[in-house]
Structures are given as C-alpha cells and as structure tokens.
C-alpha cells in the first residue's frame, strides 16, 4: 500500500481547527496524523531506496571435492574479479545444489556459478539474474547428460530398459540438471520407467562419486555428463578408461554466472563487463587470463539472459506433467500443459 505524506502545514492547520474538540479528541487526532506520516515514511517501496554497494561479494561454486580441489582453479579468476569490481570476493564451495540456491535466496551469497537447473531455481526464488554463460574449451555452450556402465560389463541400454530390478543405479542430486532432470525427461519418463521400481537399488550422489563407483564395480549403472567425463579423463585417465557410455541426451545449456537481482546496478555492470571481456583480446594479460580459463575448462564467457535457460524450464514442466498425470491431478496436468505450451510457442518465434 502507498501512503501519501501529509505536509506539516496541513497538520498544524488541523490543530488550529480543533478548538471545538475536546482536549482528548485533539490529542487523539494529533497522534493519528503523526501515525499517517510515519506510515508514509516507512512504506516507501524498496525499489525507491538507493541500492548500496556491498562490503563484500560471496561467490558460490558447486564442487563435489570442495575448496581443497577446486579452490586453486577458481582463485585466480576470483582475484581478478575482486580487482575489477573493487569489492572483496569470498568464495564458498558446496556439494549440494539446494544449499547454494538457499544461500543466494537468503542474501548470504550475491554471485555464483550455477549449472542450469539450480540457476533457474535461483532466478525464481531469489530474483537472481544471468550475467553470462560459460563456453567450454571446444567452443560449446551446451553439454549432454549420459548413462554410464563399467566397460566390459555387457550392460546395454536395452538391458536397462527391461528393468526387472537387476541392476543398482546411481542417480544425481535431486536438483541436478544432467544427473536427474535430463534422464527422467528424455529417457525414463517417455518409456514409462520409474527408477525406484526399475532398479534393485537407487542411490543419489554427485557425478564424481557415481563415476568412481561404476568404474570400481560398486554400481552397475549411473547418470553422468560430458563435462564430468572430460574432467575425469584429465584427472584420472585410468579410471575414466573403465567407463562406457550407453545413452546420451539432447544438448543442455551450460552453466552460467548468476547475481542477485537487487545487487546495486554499478557493481552488477562491473561484474557483467568483467566476465564478458575476460580472456579476450591480445597481450600478456589476456594470455594469462586464458590460462586461468583453461584451468576451469572454459574458453570464454558469452553474454546471456534468463531466456537461455528456457530448455531447462521445458524439462521441468515436462517432469511436473508426468508427476501430475501419475497422481491423477487434473489441475496440475492443466497447469503443466499451459507452461509447456507457453515455452514451446516462445521457442518457435525465437530466431
């Protein structure tokens, strides 16, 4: 509600006209008028208040191994970011998608690298914004989800589709795009397969752990993705050789750099400019920045907005539709179908 400020002159005029009132009514009227003024002052929309420059930027990074492993790869870029924006940057490494989304929602973090599904959730829950998307060393800004087995196991995709509770299965974090959402949307749901009923056991873990357990024979089948596979080949080629891919999804948008929407505009623009120009151009400094990017297995950051995540929103809507149909939830089905129709119509008109 918007409250109009009452001029002081109007208040004093009201007091002068109160001669016919009792003293009690006069006092009451004065208190009431003062309350209106206070309410007017305290109900100014937040958007009308100047956004302050933060004292520090907390930068969240999803990492199964934590800071000890990922810190050395990210720290040079974060040091450069700190110099560019003139604000201290503090990294937080987490292995749980939901925790990082909640950190941004609670303003415990102002910026971060998010994969596609958590990025959508940060946008929806925290009013976050995309400032850039990552491009890998091969120039790709997308990746694919996969299903993996131990090489030599003889397990095929047809075997998996027959279910029968013959195999143990490692799925991703519930908020993982490639570890959970993509295989459900493009592999299991279209075939009417419920992983809980299909496999002998289902365990949720990160990509690195699932790959290790498949390679070592602890798990029969697991979800993975091409980004994790490339990292494993670089870090442990012997282990990577023990893994075979039996299914791949259509392309999924790569992760991006996300900032809180209420971050002050000047800082937000400095952050955007930093990422879009990082490692570009010629000279010694640009070469150094490209080496930093190579350590992260990126080649550059491209400009992007929230729309680039629409394919993930389609997957989310498709999953809601499947869930609603299973539960015979007519209103849920109708809502999911409307969202799918909206997103597909939007995609058809985009260049």
């Amino acid at each position: 509600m918007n409250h109009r400020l009452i001029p002081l002159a109007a208040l004093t005029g009201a007091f002068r006209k109160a001669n016919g009132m009792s003293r009690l009514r006069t006092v009451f009227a004065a208190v009431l008028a003062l309350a209106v003024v206070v309410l007017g002052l305290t109900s100014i929309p937040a958007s009308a208040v100047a956004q302050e420059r933060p004292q520090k930027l907390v930068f969240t990074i999803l990492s199964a191994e934590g800071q000890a492993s990922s810190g050395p790869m990210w720290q040079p870029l974060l040091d450069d970011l700190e110099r560019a924006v003139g604000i201290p940057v503090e990294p937080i490494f987490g292995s749980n998608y939901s925790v990082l989304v909640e950190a941004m929602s609670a303003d415990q973090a102002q910026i971060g690298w998010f994969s596609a599904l958590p990025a959508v959730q940060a946008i929806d829950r925290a009013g976050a914004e995309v400032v850039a998307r990552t491009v890998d060393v091969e120039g790709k800004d997308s990746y694919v989800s996969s299903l993996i087995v131990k090489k030599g196991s003889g397990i095929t995709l047809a075997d998996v589709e027959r279910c029968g509770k013959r195999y143990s299965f490692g799925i991703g974090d519930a908020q993982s795009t490639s570890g959970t959402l993509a295989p459900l949307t493009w592999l299991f749901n279209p075939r009417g397969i419920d992983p809980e009923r299909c496999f002998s056991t289902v365990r949720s873990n990160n990509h690195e752990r699932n790959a290790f357990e498949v390679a070592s024979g602890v798990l029969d089948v697991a979800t993975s993705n091409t980004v994790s596979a490339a990292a494993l080949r670089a870090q442990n080629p012997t282990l990577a050789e023990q893994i075979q891919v039996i299914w791949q999804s259509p392309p999924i948008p790569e992760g991006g750099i996300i900032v809180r929407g209420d971050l002050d505009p000047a800082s937000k623009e400095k952050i955007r400019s930093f990422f879009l120009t990082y490692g570009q151009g010629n000279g010694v400094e640009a070469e150094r920045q490209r080496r930093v990017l190579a350590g992260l297995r990126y080649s550059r950051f491209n400009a992007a907005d929230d729309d680039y995540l629409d394919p993930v929103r389609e997957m989310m809507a498709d999953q809601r539709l499947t869930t609603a149909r299973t539960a015979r939830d007519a209103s849920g089905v109708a809502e999911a179908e409307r969202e799918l129709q909206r997103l597909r119509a939007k995609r058809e008109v985009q260049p």
Side-chain angles (χ1 to χ4, degrees), residues 51-59 75 77-91 110-111 263-271 274:
Q51 293 166 309
E52 295 183 359
R53 183 173 179 268
Q55 297 300 307
K56 69 175 179 180
L57 294 171
V58 176
F59 193 114
Q75 197 58 53
L77 182 138
L78 299 182
D79 290 342
D80 290 343
L81 174 61
E82 182 172 309
R83 284 189 289 270
V85 300
I87 302 172
V89 176
E90 176 185 309
Q110 296 74 42
I111 181 172
L263 192 64
D264 72 285
S267 297
K268 194 184 300 182
E269 190 52 43
K270 286 181 180 179
I271 291 169
F274 168 80

Side-chain angles (χ1 to χ4, degrees), residues 37-319:
V37 174
V38 172
L39 284 171
L41 289 171
T42 57
S43 63
I44 296 174
S47 59
V49 179
Q51 293 166 309
E52 295 183 359
R53 183 173 179 268
Q55 297 300 307
K56 69 175 179 180
L57 294 171
V58 176
F59 193 114
T60 61
I61 300 162
L62 181 72
S63 171
E65 298 87 359
Q67 187 167 358
S69 175
S70 298
M73 294 187 296
W74 278 95
Q75 197 58 53
L77 182 138
L78 299 182
D79 290 342
D80 290 343
L81 174 61
E82 182 172 309
R83 284 189 289 270
V85 300
I87 302 172
V89 176
E90 176 185 309
I92 292 181
F93 296 83
S95 60
N96 184 288
Y97 293 86
S98 297
V99 170
L100 299 184
V101 171
E102 288 305 315
M104 182 161 283
S105 182
D107 200 17
Q108 295 171 348
Q110 296 74 42
I111 181 172
W113 174 85
F114 284 81
S115 60
L117 177 56
V120 170
Q121 293 172 334
I123 290 165
D124 291 347
R125 296 181 191 176
E129 299 175 11
V130 176
V131 296
R133 63 189 296 186
T134 56
V135 180
D136 71 14
V137 292
E138 296 178 353
K140 298 176 182 176
D141 59 7
S142 63
Y143 66 112
V144 300
S145 169
S146 60
L147 214 63
I148 58 174
V149 299
K150 183 175 175 63
K151 186 176 290 186
S153 67
I155 299 173
T156 66
L157 179 59
D159 293 331
V160 171
E161 292 172 340
R162 281 193 285 270
C163 294
K165 291 186 175 290
R166 293 182 293 168
Y167 305 121
S168 57
F169 180 55
I171 200 167
D173 182 290
Q175 309 304 321
S176 172
T177 315
S178 59
T180 300
L181 184 61
L184 287 176
T185 301
W186 286 315
L187 176 60
F188 295 125
N189 290 347
R191 294 163 175 79
I193 295 174
D194 178 354
E196 293 288 346
R197 297 179 179 179
C198 179
F199 298 100
S200 59
T201 59
V202 177
R203 290 192 288 182
S204 175
N205 222 317
N206 58 57
H207 294 303
E208 292 77 10
R209 187 68 188 175
N210 279 338
F212 176 80
E213 293 192 350
V214 165
S216 58
V218 175
L219 283 173
D220 296 313
V221 187
T223 59
S224 184
N225 66 43
T226 47
V227 175
S228 294
L232 185 61
R233 285 194 300 271
Q235 297 168 5
N236 195 334
T238 302
L239 189 71
E241 277 296 313
Q242 302 301 311
I243 294 173
Q244 178 182 351
V245 175
I246 60 171
W247 173 83
Q248 286 190 322
S249 74
I252 301 168
E254 260 283 14
I257 304 299
I258 312 297
V259 300
R260 278 185 60 91
D262 60 0
L263 192 64
D264 72 285
S267 297
K268 194 184 300 182
E269 190 52 43
K270 286 181 180 179
I271 291 169
R272 189 191 313 275
S273 177
F274 168 80
F275 282 103
L276 297 185
T277 59
Y278 196 77
Q280 305 304 301
N282 302 312
V284 174
E285 180 61 9
E287 286 292 337
R288 183 193 66 81
Q289 292 176 355
R290 283 193 281 272
R291 289 194 295 272
V292 172
L293 287 172
L296 293 165
R297 294 182 291 278
Y298 299 144
S299 60
R300 65 183 184 276
F301 296 93
N302 278 354
D305 58 23
D306 300 354
D307 287 349
Y308 102 91
L309 294 166
D310 279 352
V312 178
R313 292 189 181 278
E314 279 196 53
M315 286 192 283
M316 294 169 69
D318 182 83
Q319 183 60 26

